[in-house]
Amino acid sequence: MQISGTFGGLELARRGLQAGQRGLEVAGRNIAGAASPEYHRQRLVPAAAGSGLALVRERDLLLDGEYREAAAGLGLHGARRDALARVEEVFREPSDYGIQAALDRFWNTWQQLAGAAQDPTARAEVLVEAGELVRRIREAADGLAVRREALDRSIGLKVQEANDLAGQLADLNLRIATRASAGGEAADLEDRRDALLDRLARLAGVSVFHQPGGQVTVYLGGEPLVQGGVAASLTVPAAGAAPVWSGSGAPVRVGQGELGGELRARDQDLALVQGELDRLATELAARVNQVHAAGYGLDGLSGRPFFLVGAGGAQTLALAVSSPEAIAAAAGPGASGDGENAAALAGLRDLADIDSPLAPGQPLSVDQLYRTLIGRLGLDSRAARDAAEAADLHLQSADRQRQSVIGVSADEETLALVQHQKAVAAAARVTTALDEALEAVVNRMGLVGR
Amino acid sequence: MRVTNHMLVETAARALTALRSRMARAQEQVATGNAITRPSDGPARTVTALDLGSARRRVEQADAGAAEALNWLSVSEQQITRMIDMLQAAREAALVTGGPGARDPVSREGVAQTVEQARAAALHAANTRYRGVYLFAGFRTDTAPFAPDAAAYLGDEGVARQEVVPGQRLPVRLPGSRLLGGGNFFQALEGLAADIRSGAPVAGRLEELDRALEHLSSLRTEIGVRLQQVDEYADMNRKADIDLQDRLARATGTELERAVTELAEIENAYRAALGAAGRALPASLMDFLR
């Protein structure tokens, strides 16, 4: 840089003053942003073109990518963990208040009736325990239905949120482009955009590409969600369905993030549990009904079912028998002490001929089916919990790495403040010195003898 | 690595959150005594707990069944003993008629009446109702198995059974037809009384009574054996219940000392983390500049 002419020195001093002041401004800005995790540290560097300083906003695209990947993982496993924890609560196991205990007592009352078919108390107890079993199964089924509806609502809200974020990102893209073309800097807008991208990554797991012009393109499930100033949108076509792209109607391939986690929890984990509970109810009813219909009640009638179950599965389970005399405890008509059919019903406890995807190739009894279901639920929930914990640690680590680059250290900025303050003072000193020197030149030169 | 303010705050916040949730868990374990409060706490242990719980309830039911069985079998044994006693009494009374003092109609009438009373008592025993149930009527528990003339057995052949140990049902009552396995002693007694009155020889009737007595004795022995069986099964049930209780506690319970120690450790760690955060966070360069 060539300094020329009388006032060249003043020009230098002015630049020094300006630089110091800008430095103070940037340090001040950084300190103001220190508490905000979305703020990216800014600093002054020598400008590429000409003289002066340019403002640089710290970022690391690689670390951004790692952070977003970790966030998507935590979103996925965290959402699944929470959903499965809610499903576990429906069953209240292991305890005396769950379905297992009710099943045990149900079988026990048949065994008791087998030895006391003429005893009205024994008959009444069968109805009481059967009623309780039905109540607990229905309660569990209703609880699962409620969880499913809650997931439906949450998925709907998350789809809306994703659309909202996409819209904001497209808008920010435009505004950043406008600012850049007007020659200004857009650090605050870029901070905002990065924060939205972080949230979107956690929400749905997205891939982010920075275009040469400063724009950002966002892909979700391989399809563009945000391109320049244009945002695509998702929609849920019907209650309980999976999200699709609004334009094409094609399904959205979202396997990461909170949205991916809730979809998986609803459409795989919860669906399995609901399906197997339904299977339990229908198989229990079918087997009991078959044996019950072969027996005789105290009224001498035969061929009646004990349970009713509709197409709605476990939620529709009910007792078909309402009076103790109608319980078909006897194997033949006419003898009130005959409990042999009740004995056969009690024996169903050990009959293992139910096929279930939970135990392929291994027929199960009703009790075994229930236990296997609870065991599987426990395993899946535990796995999701562990995965969420690991994902959280991963995210912490990625966050630390990124913060190390983009974060503000108050101590650093304080030192910078001191430094720039001194620089300003020094520049002012230089200006004063030059001023005095110029004073001599301007006011005193050529005044010989005045 | 550059460390920023945000990182310091994050570290402290995460550590405290993690410790708090560990503390909550440890507290829950100590307070409830349960290590497993939901399946995900221990999936395999949960299934074991469900298994053991079911097994326990099953054993409890069988134990109640064993108590019932003892009841029915004891009462049946008592009534058969009564019948044996009555037959013995009738037999002894009939022997008298062979002796010198039994030729006159008055004393013969006395003996005949004794025999008839014995028959009535035996019939009463055979028609015993216990807890609303005719003991010797098979499954037809609401009708008396023998009419006053006891010409035939009116019940059915149903054998009432009771589960006394999981998976094992034992007979607890006899159908009345089995009482008559050594002959219809009611009719024999009726005949005996008539013969005594008429002065006819009674040797044949006495032989019938002997056969009936032998049969009733063997029935009684059969019941005695069964009572012993049930006693042994009841014992097995009790032992099984204790064993299952123990295993259930080990599968789902916490060892209290360990849980309390763990809680104390976590509390200490939490306090230390709070202290560390308190020291690290507030300090900055600002405090040291003019």
Side-chain angles (χ1 to χ4, degrees):
Chain A
M1 180 175 61
Q2 275 287 69
I3 304 124
S4 54
T6 322
F7 301 102
L10 277 176
E11 174 62 19
L12 273 177
R14 184 191 68 79
R15 286 188 194 171
L17 204 60
Q18 215 175 35
Q21 280 169 337
R22 280 194 79 188
L24 283 172
E25 188 198 320
V26 171
R29 203 191 285 188
N30 281 342
I31 288 176
S36 165
E38 76 178 46
Y39 179 81
H40 286 234
R41 187 167 64 108
Q42 296 172 20
R43 58 196 174 91
L44 292 170
V45 296
S51 59
L53 297 166
L55 193 65
V56 161
R57 174 180 171 271
E58 287 288 1
R59 74 172 183 189
D60 185 319
L61 295 183
L62 200 60
L63 291 179
D64 277 344
E66 278 183 26
Y67 178 89
R68 286 175 192 143
E69 207 179 290
L74 180 57
L76 167 67
H77 296 297
R80 197 162 162 249
R81 168 200 59 200
D82 293 342
L84 285 173
R86 298 288 93 72
V87 171
E88 275 191 294
E89 283 165 15
V90 166
F91 288 101
R92 284 193 226 121
E93 300 283 14
S95 86
D96 252 355
Y97 308 102
I99 290 173
Q100 181 66 75
L103 267 172
D104 291 337
R105 289 195 265 269
F106 172 71
W107 298 125
N108 278 354
T109 54
W110 286 112
Q111 192 60 256
Q112 184 176 253
L113 186 61
Q118 72 292 332
D119 183 357
T121 311
R123 283 181 180 260
E125 275 190 42
V126 168
L127 290 184
V128 164
E129 293 302 341
E132 181 62 15
L133 176 62
V134 165
R135 194 191 69 76
R136 288 190 192 180
I137 290 178
R138 285 182 76 137
E139 203 178 58
D142 288 342
L144 293 178
V146 165
R147 299 293 180 273
R148 199 203 158 84
E149 281 163 34
L151 281 171
D152 284 344
R153 275 198 302 277
S154 183
I155 287 169
L157 286 173
K158 287 187 165 45
V159 163
Q160 270 183 42
E161 192 187 348
N163 289 340
D164 196 49
L165 289 168
Q168 286 184 53
L169 283 165
D171 181 56
L172 279 169
N173 267 343
L174 286 177
R175 285 163 65 191
I176 289 170
T178 311
R179 277 254 198 112
S181 65
E185 42 100 347
D188 56 334
L189 294 176
E190 288 179 46
D191 282 352
R192 188 85 205 103
R193 187 172 64 181
D194 268 334
L196 292 179
L197 286 168
D198 287 349
R199 173 64 200 140
L200 189 54
R202 177 131 176 193
L203 182 66
V206 293
S207 308
V208 175
F209 294 94
H210 286 260
Q211 307 301 342
Q215 304 280 284
V216 144
T217 306
V218 181
Y219 284 90
L220 172 61
E223 297 293 320
L225 178 63
V226 177
Q227 247 174 343
V230 177
S233 72
L234 316 174
T235 177
V236 176
V244 299
W245 292 100
S246 300
S248 63
V252 183
R253 280 193 295 275
V254 51
Q256 291 285 303
E258 294 167 5
L259 190 54
E262 288 194 345
L263 283 168
R264 182 166 161 188
R266 183 189 70 180
D267 298 336
Q268 286 181 35
D269 301 313
L270 182 53
L272 178 67
V273 174
Q274 279 181 310
E276 293 310 297
L277 185 64
D278 284 341
R279 189 192 305 278
L280 182 106
T282 41
E283 295 296 339
L284 172 70
R287 276 159 186 65
V288 169
N289 284 350
Q290 191 181 28
V291 176
H292 191 261
Y296 291 79
L298 273 181
D299 49 18
L301 296 178
S302 174
R304 288 176 293 198
F306 187 81
F307 286 119
L308 294 170
V309 66
Q315 275 183 300
T316 61
L317 185 65
L319 280 183
V321 170
S322 51
S323 72
E325 299 80 49
I327 299 177
S336 56
D338 181 353
E340 293 308 293
N341 203 44
L345 281 159
L348 285 177
R349 185 187 220 156
D350 297 321
L351 176 63
D353 64 349
I354 302 176
D355 287 316
S356 159
L358 294 175
Q362 205 188 333
L364 304 168
S365 70
V366 171
D367 284 32
Q368 283 170 335
L369 175 61
Y370 182 70
R371 285 200 273 274
T372 311
L373 172 60
I374 296 297
R376 172 64 179 267
L377 178 57
L379 271 175
D380 286 349
S381 181
R382 173 63 165 257
R385 229 162 68 177
D386 290 345
E389 220 173 283
D392 191 42
L393 287 172
H394 187 200
L395 183 64
Q396 274 185 55
S397 168
D399 187 38
R400 285 178 72 88
Q401 302 260 37
R402 193 166 75 157
Q403 280 296 319
S404 180
V405 172
I406 69 166
V408 173
S409 162
D411 293 344
E412 264 179 18
E413 301 305 321
T414 308
L415 284 170
L417 274 178
V418 171
Q419 182 191 358
H420 290 301
Q421 192 184 40
K422 290 279 187 281
V424 166
R429 207 34 96 69
V430 167
T431 310
T432 313
L434 284 173
D435 183 46
E436 285 176 8
L438 281 171
E439 160 110 45
V441 168
V442 167
N443 291 331
R444 305 281 184 70
M445 243 174 139
L447 285 177
V448 175
R450 178 138 40 106
Chain B
M1 181 173 167
R2 261 186 88 240
V3 175
T4 66
N5 294 58
H6 176 77
M7 285 158 75
L8 287 176
V9 169
E10 270 297 290
T11 304
R14 281 183 193 279
L16 291 173
T17 306
L19 281 167
R20 268 200 303 273
S21 76
R22 281 179 63 200
M23 236 182 356
R25 235 184 96 46
Q27 261 177 348
E28 193 181 18
Q29 285 206 20
V30 171
T32 64
N34 281 332
I36 310 279
T37 47
R38 57 189 72 78
S40 55
D41 287 344
R45 286 165 82 180
T46 300
V47 173
T48 303
L50 292 180
D51 245 323
L52 293 174
S54 286
R56 264 199 86 195
R57 289 187 194 100
R58 214 167 163 172
V59 165
E60 272 167 24
Q61 181 61 43
D63 209 35
E68 281 290 290
L70 284 174
N71 229 312
W72 294 112
L73 288 168
S74 302
V75 170
S76 299
E77 192 191 38
Q78 273 168 30
Q79 297 310 320
I80 289 178
T81 301
R82 189 123 177 81
M83 285 179 241
I84 288 173
D85 289 346
M86 290 302 103
L87 262 70
Q88 300 269 27
R91 198 178 178 286
E92 272 170 37
L95 281 175
V96 168
T97 59
R103 297 280 165 68
D104 61 296
V106 173
S107 53
R108 283 210 307 268
E109 182 57 31
V111 173
Q113 279 185 9
T114 304
V115 169
E116 278 169 345
Q117 278 164 21
R119 180 186 179 280
L123 185 62
H124 185 81
N127 279 339
T128 300
R129 242 187 139 175
Y130 178 64
R131 288 161 68 188
V133 167
Y134 282 105
L135 279 182
F136 300 104
F139 285 150
R140 307 192 64 203
T141 54
D142 51 1
T143 32
F146 296 102
D149 68 355
Y153 168 61
L154 303 174
D156 65 15
E157 300 308 307
V159 176
R161 288 168 193 275
Q162 191 75 246
E163 193 194 52
V164 295
V165 90
Q168 274 263 48
R169 296 179 73 217
L170 290 187
V172 297
R173 295 198 289 275
L174 302 172
S177 51
R178 290 202 63 201
L179 292 174
L180 304 184
N184 187 334
F185 51 85
F186 300 114
Q187 287 184 329
L189 285 171
E190 200 178 332
L192 179 61
D195 288 351
I196 289 172
R197 280 205 183 88
S198 67
V202 300
R205 295 292 183 194
L206 291 181
E207 262 176 45
E208 283 181 58
L209 287 185
D210 282 341
R211 279 200 300 278
L213 274 168
E214 207 178 297
H215 181 75
L216 287 174
S217 274
S218 75
L219 278 185
R220 187 171 61 177
T221 307
E222 190 183 307
I223 294 180
V225 166
R226 196 149 293 138
L227 275 167
Q228 223 178 348
Q229 265 186 315
V230 174
D231 244 336
E232 281 165 19
Y233 281 132
D235 208 39
M236 274 171 69
N237 287 337
R238 273 189 288 277
K239 291 207 178 77
D241 189 47
I242 292 172
D243 177 58
L244 288 168
Q245 250 182 318
D246 187 49
R247 284 162 66 192
L248 191 56
R250 272 186 286 125
T252 61
T254 45
E255 295 125 21
L256 202 55
E257 300 98 36
R258 191 190 53 76
V260 168
T261 311
E262 199 178 310
L263 181 59
E265 279 173 12
I266 297 173
E267 278 175 343
N268 281 337
Y270 185 65
R271 258 189 276 278
L274 284 172
R279 296 167 96 88
L281 290 180
S284 92
L285 192 53
M286 297 288 191
D287 301 331
F288 296 93
L289 289 177
R290 238 187 334 99

